[in-house]
Short mmCIF file of all heavy atoms in Angstrom, two decimals:
data_model
loop_
_atom_site.label_atom_id
_atom_site.label_comp_id
_atom_site.label_asym_id
_atom_site.label_seq_id
_atom_site.Cartn_x
_atom_site.Cartn_y
_atom_site.Cartn_z
N THR A 14 30.27 374.46 47.45
CA THR A 14 29.08 373.66 47.19
C THR A 14 28.16 373.71 48.40
O THR A 14 28.62 373.55 49.53
CB THR A 14 29.47 372.20 46.90
OG1 THR A 14 30.36 372.16 45.79
CG2 THR A 14 28.24 371.36 46.60
N LEU A 15 26.88 373.93 48.15
CA LEU A 15 25.86 373.92 49.20
C LEU A 15 25.12 372.59 49.11
O LEU A 15 24.72 372.19 48.02
CB LEU A 15 24.88 375.07 49.01
CG LEU A 15 25.48 376.46 48.94
CD1 LEU A 15 24.41 377.46 48.53
CD2 LEU A 15 26.08 376.84 50.27
N THR A 16 24.96 371.91 50.23
CA THR A 16 24.25 370.64 50.25
C THR A 16 23.08 370.74 51.20
O THR A 16 23.23 371.20 52.33
CB THR A 16 25.19 369.50 50.70
OG1 THR A 16 26.34 369.50 49.86
CG2 THR A 16 24.50 368.16 50.59
N LEU A 17 21.90 370.30 50.77
CA LEU A 17 20.68 370.31 51.57
C LEU A 17 20.42 368.90 52.08
O LEU A 17 20.45 367.94 51.30
CB LEU A 17 19.50 370.79 50.73
CG LEU A 17 18.14 370.72 51.40
CD1 LEU A 17 18.06 371.73 52.54
CD2 LEU A 17 17.04 370.96 50.39
N TYR A 18 20.17 368.79 53.38
CA TYR A 18 19.83 367.51 53.99
C TYR A 18 18.41 367.58 54.52
O TYR A 18 18.01 368.58 55.10
CB TYR A 18 20.78 367.18 55.13
CG TYR A 18 22.17 366.82 54.66
CD1 TYR A 18 23.11 367.79 54.39
CD2 TYR A 18 22.52 365.49 54.47
CE1 TYR A 18 24.37 367.47 53.94
CE2 TYR A 18 23.79 365.16 54.03
CZ TYR A 18 24.72 366.15 53.77
OH TYR A 18 25.96 365.81 53.32
N LEU A 19 17.64 366.51 54.34
CA LEU A 19 16.28 366.40 54.85
C LEU A 19 16.19 365.11 55.65
O LEU A 19 16.45 364.03 55.12
CB LEU A 19 15.28 366.38 53.69
CG LEU A 19 13.82 366.21 54.05
CD1 LEU A 19 13.35 367.38 54.91
CD2 LEU A 19 12.97 366.10 52.79
N ASN A 20 15.89 365.25 56.94
CA ASN A 20 15.83 364.09 57.84
C ASN A 20 17.12 363.28 57.82
O ASN A 20 17.10 362.05 57.85
CB ASN A 20 14.63 363.20 57.51
CG ASN A 20 13.32 363.88 57.79
OD1 ASN A 20 13.24 364.77 58.64
ND2 ASN A 20 12.30 363.49 57.08
N GLY A 21 18.23 363.96 57.75
CA GLY A 21 19.53 363.31 57.81
C GLY A 21 20.05 362.74 56.50
O GLY A 21 21.14 362.20 56.45
N SER A 22 19.28 362.85 55.42
CA SER A 22 19.71 362.32 54.13
C SER A 22 19.89 363.46 53.12
O SER A 22 19.11 364.41 53.10
CB SER A 22 18.67 361.35 53.58
OG SER A 22 18.55 360.24 54.44
N LYS A 23 20.90 363.33 52.29
CA LYS A 23 21.18 364.35 51.28
C LYS A 23 19.99 364.46 50.34
O LYS A 23 19.53 363.46 49.77
CB LYS A 23 22.44 363.97 50.50
CG LYS A 23 22.88 365.00 49.50
CD LYS A 23 24.18 364.57 48.85
CE LYS A 23 24.59 365.51 47.74
NZ LYS A 23 25.86 365.07 47.13
N ALA A 24 19.46 365.67 50.19
CA ALA A 24 18.28 365.90 49.35
C ALA A 24 18.60 366.72 48.10
O ALA A 24 17.80 366.78 47.19
CB ALA A 24 17.19 366.58 50.17
N GLY A 25 19.75 367.35 48.07
CA GLY A 25 20.11 368.16 46.90
C GLY A 25 21.39 368.93 47.14
O GLY A 25 21.90 368.96 48.25
N TRP A 26 21.90 369.53 46.08
CA TRP A 26 23.12 370.33 46.19
C TRP A 26 23.16 371.33 45.05
O TRP A 26 22.45 371.21 44.06
CB TRP A 26 24.37 369.44 46.18
CG TRP A 26 24.57 368.71 44.89
CD1 TRP A 26 24.04 367.50 44.54
CD2 TRP A 26 25.31 369.17 43.76
NE1 TRP A 26 24.42 367.17 43.27
CE2 TRP A 26 25.21 368.17 42.76
CE3 TRP A 26 26.05 370.29 43.49
CZ2 TRP A 26 25.80 368.29 41.52
CZ3 TRP A 26 26.66 370.41 42.25
CH2 TRP A 26 26.54 369.41 41.28
N ASP A 27 24.01 372.32 45.21
CA ASP A 27 24.24 373.33 44.18
C ASP A 27 25.59 373.96 44.42
O ASP A 27 26.12 373.91 45.52
CB ASP A 27 23.14 374.40 44.21
CG ASP A 27 23.02 375.16 42.90
OD1 ASP A 27 23.85 374.95 41.99
OD2 ASP A 27 22.09 375.97 42.78
N VAL A 28 26.14 374.54 43.40
CA VAL A 28 27.42 375.24 43.51
C VAL A 28 27.13 376.70 43.81
O VAL A 28 26.36 377.34 43.10
CB VAL A 28 28.25 375.10 42.22
CG1 VAL A 28 29.51 375.92 42.30
CG2 VAL A 28 28.56 373.63 41.95
N ALA A 29 27.72 377.22 44.87
CA ALA A 29 27.54 378.63 45.25
C ALA A 29 28.44 379.49 44.38
O ALA A 29 29.63 379.23 44.28
CB ALA A 29 27.87 378.81 46.72
N THR A 30 27.86 380.51 43.80
CA THR A 30 28.65 381.41 42.96
C THR A 30 28.71 382.82 43.54
O THR A 30 29.40 383.67 43.01
CB THR A 30 28.06 381.48 41.54
OG1 THR A 30 26.70 381.91 41.62
CG2 THR A 30 28.14 380.14 40.85
N ASN A 31 27.98 383.06 44.62
CA ASN A 31 27.97 384.38 45.25
C ASN A 31 29.11 384.49 46.26
O ASN A 31 29.57 383.50 46.81
CB ASN A 31 26.66 384.63 45.98
CG ASN A 31 25.48 384.66 45.04
OD1 ASN A 31 25.64 384.63 43.84
ND2 ASN A 31 24.29 384.69 45.59
N THR A 32 29.51 385.71 46.51
CA THR A 32 30.51 385.98 47.54
C THR A 32 29.80 386.46 48.79
O THR A 32 28.94 387.34 48.73
CB THR A 32 31.48 387.08 47.05
OG1 THR A 32 32.11 386.63 45.85
CG2 THR A 32 32.54 387.37 48.10
N LEU A 33 30.12 385.87 49.93
CA LEU A 33 29.54 386.30 51.19
C LEU A 33 30.23 387.57 51.65
O LEU A 33 31.44 387.65 51.66
CB LEU A 33 29.68 385.21 52.25
CG LEU A 33 28.93 383.92 51.98
CD1 LEU A 33 29.23 382.91 53.08
CD2 LEU A 33 27.44 384.17 51.89
N THR A 34 29.44 388.55 52.02
CA THR A 34 29.98 389.81 52.50
C THR A 34 29.20 390.25 53.74
O THR A 34 28.10 389.78 53.99
CB THR A 34 29.86 390.92 51.43
OG1 THR A 34 28.48 391.08 51.10
CG2 THR A 34 30.65 390.57 50.19
N ASP A 35 29.79 391.15 54.51
CA ASP A 35 29.07 391.74 55.65
C ASP A 35 27.88 392.53 55.10
O ASP A 35 27.96 393.15 54.05
CB ASP A 35 29.98 392.67 56.44
CG ASP A 35 31.01 391.92 57.24
OD1 ASP A 35 30.75 390.75 57.59
OD2 ASP A 35 32.07 392.49 57.53
N HIS A 36 26.78 392.48 55.84
CA HIS A 36 25.58 393.17 55.40
C HIS A 36 24.88 393.76 56.60
O HIS A 36 24.84 393.14 57.66
CB HIS A 36 24.65 392.18 54.68
CG HIS A 36 23.64 392.85 53.82
ND1 HIS A 36 22.47 393.37 54.32
CD2 HIS A 36 23.62 393.10 52.50
CE1 HIS A 36 21.77 393.90 53.34
NE2 HIS A 36 22.45 393.75 52.22
N PRO A 37 24.30 394.95 56.48
CA PRO A 37 23.66 395.58 57.63
C PRO A 37 22.33 394.94 58.04
O PRO A 37 21.88 395.13 59.17
CB PRO A 37 23.44 397.03 57.16
CG PRO A 37 23.35 396.93 55.68
CD PRO A 37 24.29 395.81 55.30
N ASN A 38 21.70 394.16 57.17
CA ASN A 38 20.42 393.53 57.52
C ASN A 38 20.65 392.30 58.39
O ASN A 38 21.66 391.60 58.24
CB ASN A 38 19.66 393.13 56.26
CG ASN A 38 19.21 394.33 55.45
OD1 ASN A 38 19.09 395.43 55.98
ND2 ASN A 38 18.98 394.13 54.17
N PRO A 39 19.70 391.99 59.28
CA PRO A 39 19.87 390.82 60.14
C PRO A 39 19.72 389.51 59.37
O PRO A 39 19.05 389.47 58.33
CB PRO A 39 18.74 390.98 61.16
CG PRO A 39 17.71 391.79 60.46
CD PRO A 39 18.46 392.71 59.53
N PHE A 40 20.33 388.47 59.87
CA PHE A 40 20.19 387.12 59.32
C PHE A 40 18.79 386.63 59.68
O PHE A 40 18.38 386.70 60.83
CB PHE A 40 21.26 386.22 59.93
CG PHE A 40 21.13 384.78 59.55
CD1 PHE A 40 21.50 384.35 58.28
CD2 PHE A 40 20.62 383.86 60.43
CE1 PHE A 40 21.38 383.02 57.92
CE2 PHE A 40 20.50 382.52 60.09
CZ PHE A 40 20.88 382.11 58.83
N THR A 41 18.03 386.15 58.71
CA THR A 41 16.69 385.64 58.98
C THR A 41 16.51 384.26 58.36
O THR A 41 17.16 383.91 57.39
CB THR A 41 15.60 386.58 58.41
OG1 THR A 41 15.78 386.68 57.00
CG2 THR A 41 15.67 387.96 59.02
N ILE A 42 15.60 383.50 58.94
CA ILE A 42 15.21 382.19 58.41
C ILE A 42 13.70 382.23 58.27
O ILE A 42 12.99 382.54 59.23
CB ILE A 42 15.66 381.05 59.34
CG1 ILE A 42 17.18 380.99 59.39
CG2 ILE A 42 15.08 379.72 58.88
CD1 ILE A 42 17.75 380.03 60.39
N GLY A 43 13.20 381.92 57.10
CA GLY A 43 11.76 381.90 56.88
C GLY A 43 11.20 383.20 56.35
O GLY A 43 10.00 383.37 56.26
N GLN A 44 12.06 384.12 55.98
CA GLN A 44 11.60 385.39 55.43
C GLN A 44 12.56 385.83 54.33
O GLN A 44 13.77 385.76 54.48
CB GLN A 44 11.55 386.47 56.51
CG GLN A 44 11.04 387.79 56.01
CD GLN A 44 11.04 388.86 57.09
OE1 GLN A 44 11.91 388.88 57.94
NE2 GLN A 44 10.07 389.73 57.04
N VAL A 45 11.99 386.25 53.22
CA VAL A 45 12.80 386.78 52.12
C VAL A 45 12.38 388.22 51.93
O VAL A 45 11.20 388.50 51.71
CB VAL A 45 12.58 385.96 50.83
CG1 VAL A 45 13.39 386.54 49.69
CG2 VAL A 45 12.93 384.51 51.04
N GLY A 46 13.33 389.12 52.03
CA GLY A 46 13.03 390.54 51.93
C GLY A 46 12.13 390.89 50.75
O GLY A 46 12.46 390.58 49.61
N GLY A 47 10.99 391.49 51.04
CA GLY A 47 10.07 391.91 50.01
C GLY A 47 9.15 390.81 49.49
O GLY A 47 8.20 391.08 48.77
N TRP A 48 9.39 389.57 49.84
CA TRP A 48 8.56 388.47 49.35
C TRP A 48 7.60 387.97 50.41
O TRP A 48 6.77 387.12 50.15
CB TRP A 48 9.42 387.32 48.89
CG TRP A 48 10.23 387.59 47.66
CD1 TRP A 48 10.54 388.79 47.12
CD2 TRP A 48 10.83 386.63 46.82
NE1 TRP A 48 11.29 388.65 46.00
CE2 TRP A 48 11.49 387.31 45.79
CE3 TRP A 48 10.88 385.25 46.82
CZ2 TRP A 48 12.19 386.67 44.77
CZ3 TRP A 48 11.58 384.61 45.81
CH2 TRP A 48 12.22 385.31 44.80
N GLY A 49 7.73 388.40 51.64
CA GLY A 49 6.84 387.95 52.70
C GLY A 49 7.44 386.84 53.53
O GLY A 49 8.60 386.49 53.38
N ASP A 50 6.62 386.31 54.41
CA ASP A 50 7.06 385.29 55.35
C ASP A 50 6.74 383.89 54.84
O ASP A 50 5.77 383.67 54.12
CB ASP A 50 6.38 385.48 56.70
CG ASP A 50 6.77 386.80 57.36
OD1 ASP A 50 7.88 387.28 57.09
OD2 ASP A 50 5.96 387.33 58.14
N PHE A 51 7.54 382.92 55.26
CA PHE A 51 7.28 381.51 55.01
C PHE A 51 6.04 381.10 55.79
O PHE A 51 5.89 381.44 56.97
CB PHE A 51 8.49 380.68 55.47
CG PHE A 51 8.27 379.20 55.43
CD1 PHE A 51 8.39 378.51 54.25
CD2 PHE A 51 7.95 378.50 56.58
CE1 PHE A 51 8.20 377.14 54.21
CE2 PHE A 51 7.75 377.14 56.55
CZ PHE A 51 7.87 376.46 55.35
N VAL A 52 5.12 380.37 55.18
CA VAL A 52 3.93 379.90 55.85
C VAL A 52 4.11 378.40 56.11
O VAL A 52 4.22 377.62 55.19
CB VAL A 52 2.66 380.14 55.00
CG1 VAL A 52 1.43 379.58 55.68
CG2 VAL A 52 2.50 381.63 54.72
N GLY A 53 4.19 378.02 57.36
CA GLY A 53 4.41 376.63 57.73
C GLY A 53 5.29 376.56 58.96
O GLY A 53 5.44 377.54 59.68
N TRP A 54 5.86 375.42 59.20
CA TRP A 54 6.72 375.20 60.36
C TRP A 54 8.15 374.99 59.92
O TRP A 54 8.42 374.25 58.97
CB TRP A 54 6.27 373.96 61.14
CG TRP A 54 4.96 374.15 61.82
CD1 TRP A 54 3.72 373.87 61.29
CD2 TRP A 54 4.74 374.67 63.11
NE1 TRP A 54 2.75 374.19 62.18
CE2 TRP A 54 3.34 374.69 63.32
CE3 TRP A 54 5.58 375.14 64.10
CZ2 TRP A 54 2.78 375.14 64.50
CZ3 TRP A 54 5.00 375.59 65.28
CH2 TRP A 54 3.63 375.59 65.46
N ILE A 55 9.07 375.64 60.59
CA ILE A 55 10.50 375.41 60.41
C ILE A 55 11.00 374.95 61.77
O ILE A 55 10.87 375.66 62.76
CB ILE A 55 11.23 376.69 59.96
CG1 ILE A 55 10.67 377.18 58.62
CG2 ILE A 55 12.74 376.43 59.84
CD1 ILE A 55 11.23 378.51 58.17
N ASP A 56 11.55 373.75 61.83
CA ASP A 56 11.90 373.14 63.11
C ASP A 56 13.38 372.75 63.13
O ASP A 56 13.91 372.27 62.15
CB ASP A 56 11.03 371.90 63.31
CG ASP A 56 11.14 371.31 64.70
OD1 ASP A 56 11.48 372.04 65.64
OD2 ASP A 56 10.89 370.11 64.85
N GLU A 57 14.00 372.98 64.27
CA GLU A 57 15.38 372.54 64.53
C GLU A 57 16.39 373.07 63.52
O GLU A 57 17.14 372.32 62.92
CB GLU A 57 15.44 371.02 64.62
CG GLU A 57 14.59 370.47 65.76
CD GLU A 57 14.76 368.99 65.99
OE1 GLU A 57 15.90 368.51 65.83
OE2 GLU A 57 13.77 368.33 66.32
N VAL A 58 16.40 374.37 63.36
CA VAL A 58 17.36 375.02 62.48
C VAL A 58 18.70 375.13 63.20
O VAL A 58 18.75 375.41 64.39
CB VAL A 58 16.87 376.43 62.09
CG1 VAL A 58 17.93 377.19 61.33
CG2 VAL A 58 15.58 376.32 61.29
N ALA A 59 19.78 374.90 62.48
CA ALA A 59 21.12 375.05 63.04
C ALA A 59 22.01 375.75 62.02
O ALA A 59 21.93 375.48 60.83
CB ALA A 59 21.71 373.69 63.40
N VAL A 60 22.84 376.65 62.51
CA VAL A 60 23.80 377.35 61.66
C VAL A 60 25.18 377.09 62.24
O VAL A 60 25.39 377.27 63.44
CB VAL A 60 23.50 378.87 61.63
CG1 VAL A 60 24.54 379.59 60.80
CG2 VAL A 60 22.10 379.12 61.11
N TYR A 61 26.10 376.66 61.42
CA TYR A 61 27.45 376.31 61.86
C TYR A 61 28.47 377.24 61.20
O TYR A 61 28.24 377.76 60.12
CB TYR A 61 27.77 374.86 61.50
CG TYR A 61 26.85 373.87 62.18
CD1 TYR A 61 25.69 373.44 61.57
CD2 TYR A 61 27.16 373.38 63.45
CE1 TYR A 61 24.84 372.54 62.21
CE2 TYR A 61 26.31 372.48 64.08
CZ TYR A 61 25.16 372.07 63.45
OH TYR A 61 24.33 371.18 64.08
N ASP A 62 29.60 377.39 61.86
CA ASP A 62 30.66 378.25 61.31
C ASP A 62 31.66 377.47 60.47
O ASP A 62 32.71 377.99 60.11
CB ASP A 62 31.37 379.00 62.43
CG ASP A 62 32.09 378.08 63.40
OD1 ASP A 62 31.92 376.84 63.30
OD2 ASP A 62 32.81 378.59 64.27
N LYS A 63 31.35 376.22 60.15
CA LYS A 63 32.22 375.40 59.30
C LYS A 63 31.37 374.34 58.60
O LYS A 63 30.24 374.07 59.00
CB LYS A 63 33.31 374.72 60.13
CG LYS A 63 32.76 373.78 61.19
CD LYS A 63 33.86 373.18 62.03
CE LYS A 63 33.25 372.33 63.14
NZ LYS A 63 34.24 371.80 64.02
N ALA A 64 31.90 373.76 57.56
CA ALA A 64 31.20 372.71 56.83
C ALA A 64 31.18 371.42 57.67
O ALA A 64 32.16 371.10 58.34
CB ALA A 64 31.88 372.46 55.50
N LEU A 65 30.06 370.72 57.64
CA LEU A 65 29.95 369.44 58.34
C LEU A 65 29.94 368.31 57.32
O LEU A 65 29.39 368.44 56.23
CB LEU A 65 28.64 369.39 59.14
CG LEU A 65 28.39 370.52 60.13
CD1 LEU A 65 27.04 370.31 60.82
CD2 LEU A 65 29.49 370.61 61.15
N ASP A 66 30.53 367.17 57.70
CA ASP A 66 30.45 366.03 56.80
C ASP A 66 29.10 365.33 57.00
O ASP A 66 28.36 365.62 57.93
CB ASP A 66 31.62 365.06 57.01
CG ASP A 66 31.67 364.43 58.38
OD1 ASP A 66 30.62 364.28 59.03
OD2 ASP A 66 32.77 364.06 58.82
N ALA A 67 28.74 364.43 56.09
CA ALA A 67 27.44 363.78 56.11
C ALA A 67 27.16 363.04 57.42
O ALA A 67 26.04 363.03 57.92
CB ALA A 67 27.31 362.82 54.93
N THR A 68 28.17 362.43 58.01
CA THR A 68 27.99 361.71 59.28
C THR A 68 27.58 362.67 60.38
O THR A 68 26.68 362.38 61.17
CB THR A 68 29.30 360.99 59.67
OG1 THR A 68 29.64 360.08 58.62
CG2 THR A 68 29.14 360.23 60.96
N ARG A 69 28.20 363.83 60.45
CA ARG A 69 27.87 364.82 61.48
C ARG A 69 26.47 365.41 61.26
O ARG A 69 25.75 365.67 62.20
CB ARG A 69 28.92 365.94 61.48
CG ARG A 69 28.65 367.06 62.44
CD ARG A 69 28.67 366.57 63.90
NE ARG A 69 28.38 367.66 64.80
CZ ARG A 69 27.16 368.00 65.24
NH1 ARG A 69 26.12 367.31 64.84
NH2 ARG A 69 26.99 369.00 66.06
N VAL A 70 26.08 365.59 60.01
CA VAL A 70 24.74 366.10 59.71
C VAL A 70 23.68 365.07 60.13
O VAL A 70 22.65 365.43 60.69
CB VAL A 70 24.61 366.42 58.21
CG1 VAL A 70 23.16 366.72 57.83
CG2 VAL A 70 25.51 367.59 57.83
N ARG A 71 23.94 363.81 59.89
CA ARG A 71 22.96 362.76 60.18
C ARG A 71 22.87 362.41 61.66
O ARG A 71 21.83 361.92 62.12
CB ARG A 71 23.32 361.51 59.37
CG ARG A 71 22.27 360.45 59.46
CD ARG A 71 22.45 359.35 58.44
NE ARG A 71 21.42 358.36 58.64
CZ ARG A 71 20.19 358.46 58.17
NH1 ARG A 71 19.84 359.50 57.47
NH2 ARG A 71 19.30 357.52 58.40
N ALA A 72 23.89 362.68 62.45
CA ALA A 72 23.92 362.25 63.86
C ALA A 72 22.71 362.70 64.68
O ALA A 72 22.12 361.87 65.38
CB ALA A 72 25.22 362.71 64.52
N PRO A 73 22.30 363.96 64.65
CA PRO A 73 21.13 364.34 65.45
C PRO A 73 19.86 363.61 65.03
O PRO A 73 19.02 363.26 65.85
CB PRO A 73 20.98 365.84 65.19
CG PRO A 73 22.32 366.29 64.74
CD PRO A 73 22.91 365.11 64.01
N TYR A 74 19.70 363.34 63.75
CA TYR A 74 18.53 362.61 63.26
C TYR A 74 18.55 361.18 63.78
O TYR A 74 17.55 360.66 64.27
CB TYR A 74 18.51 362.61 61.73
CG TYR A 74 17.36 361.82 61.16
CD1 TYR A 74 16.07 362.32 61.19
CD2 TYR A 74 17.57 360.56 60.61
CE1 TYR A 74 15.01 361.59 60.70
CE2 TYR A 74 16.52 359.82 60.10
CZ TYR A 74 15.24 360.33 60.15
OH TYR A 74 14.19 359.61 59.64
N ASP A 75 19.71 360.52 63.73
CA ASP A 75 19.83 359.15 64.22
C ASP A 75 19.57 359.07 65.72
O ASP A 75 19.00 358.10 66.21
CB ASP A 75 21.21 358.58 63.90
CG ASP A 75 21.38 358.26 62.42
OD1 ASP A 75 20.36 358.14 61.72
OD2 ASP A 75 22.53 358.16 61.98
N ASN A 76 20.00 360.10 66.47
CA ASN A 76 19.83 360.09 67.92
C ASN A 76 18.40 360.31 68.38
O ASN A 76 18.06 360.00 69.52
CB ASN A 76 20.73 361.15 68.56
CG ASN A 76 22.20 360.79 68.46
OD1 ASN A 76 22.55 359.62 68.34
ND2 ASN A 76 23.05 361.79 68.44
N THR A 77 17.53 360.86 67.53
CA THR A 77 16.15 361.11 67.93
C THR A 77 15.15 360.22 67.23
O THR A 77 13.98 360.22 67.57
CB THR A 77 15.75 362.58 67.62
OG1 THR A 77 15.89 362.82 66.23
CG2 THR A 77 16.62 363.54 68.41
N LYS A 78 15.57 359.42 66.29
CA LYS A 78 14.68 358.54 65.56
C LYS A 78 14.02 357.54 66.51
O LYS A 78 14.69 356.95 67.36
CB LYS A 78 15.47 357.79 64.49
CG LYS A 78 14.69 357.52 63.25
CD LYS A 78 15.54 357.06 62.09
CE LYS A 78 16.70 356.20 62.44
NZ LYS A 78 17.36 355.63 61.30
N GLY A 79 12.72 357.41 66.42
CA GLY A 79 12.02 356.43 67.24
C GLY A 79 11.61 356.93 68.60
O GLY A 79 11.03 356.20 69.38
N ASN A 80 11.92 358.18 68.93
CA ASN A 80 11.53 358.73 70.24
C ASN A 80 10.14 359.30 70.18
O ASN A 80 9.68 359.83 69.30
CB ASN A 80 12.50 359.82 70.68
CG ASN A 80 13.87 359.23 71.00
OD1 ASN A 80 13.97 358.04 71.29
ND2 ASN A 80 14.87 360.05 70.93
#
């Protein structure tokens, strides 16, 4: 299951049906091959090697709120 968080709160989810495999193309954020680049700002992206629980996802948001 993939879960999307926005500002530390769960915003959506979906069940992943694809299999992850090694691929020769680089990992990118904000670009989809052949579709062009994302127009806008992408801030504070993080990629983890394991699933995080909701408390761990929310912690950075709670620590910077009000600053």
Side-chain angles (χ1 to χ4, degrees):
T14 302
L15 304 171
T16 306
L17 174 68
Y18 288 84
L19 178 62
N20 294 333
S22 297
K23 184 177 175 180
W26 65 273
D27 201 354
V28 175
T30 58
N31 297 352
T32 301
L33 296 176
T34 59
D35 288 334
H36 199 278
N38 293 338
F40 174 76
T41 60
I42 295 173
Q44 181 182 35
V45 178
W48 292 18
D50 296 332
F51 172 81
V52 177
W54 291 90
I55 299 174
D56 190 25
E57 298 187 36
V58 172
V60 177
Y61 298 91
D62 63 352
K63 61 182 176 184
L65 305 179
D66 63 27
T68 301
R69 177 63 181 91
V70 170
R71 188 167 178 82
Y74 177 75
D75 288 341
N76 290 335
T77 60
K78 214 167 35 171
N80 292 337

